[in-house]
Amino acid sequence: MINQFEINNYVKKQLDIYLVEKSLTLRQAMDDETTSKEVAAILHAGFPKMVQKIYSLAKFETFFWEKRDLLHEHLKNRLEALERAAAKKAK
């Protein structure tokens, strides 16, 4: 499911702000059930509307919590790719 969407710059920025405000790393946020749900909500808000309808927020929060170990590395790589693309574009 996670391959069905792209993390756009707006969602990345929202996630970065959230992590800074909470003084957490992505791993730490994903390892706590409460903050994991909040991270899932940030990502879910960036889904296309059709995907949001297919995968409700509650369903995505459960998926995100249960698959956090698998998803962490995947999300980390996607976010780093966005950073590299932004840096390349800035040059």
Side-chain angles (χ1 to χ4, degrees), residues 19-91:
L19 294 173
V20 168
E21 287 176 353
K22 298 284 186 174
S23 299
L24 296 171
T25 64
L26 180 60
R27 176 86 257 174
Q28 291 168 329
M30 291 177 74
D31 283 342
D32 177 79
E33 191 168 5
T34 301
T35 54
S36 178
K37 286 183 176 187
E38 292 169 354
V39 169
I42 292 168
L43 293 171
H44 188 268
F47 288 174
K49 295 299 177 196
M50 182 178 281
V51 176
Q52 287 180 3
K53 288 181 181 185
I54 295 169
Y55 298 105
S56 68
L57 177 56
K59 187 175 179 179
F60 185 66
E61 287 172 345
T62 301
F63 170 79
F64 197 77
W65 176 247
E66 291 174 352
K67 305 294 184 189
R68 67 188 173 277
D69 292 328
L70 172 72
L71 293 173
H72 174 261
E73 199 62 35
H74 182 75
L75 287 172
K76 184 178 143 202
N77 291 338
R78 303 274 300 261
L79 294 169
E80 288 172 354
L82 278 174
E83 288 176 9
R84 285 191 302 272
K88 185 177 179 182
K89 193 180 247 188
K91 285 184 178 182

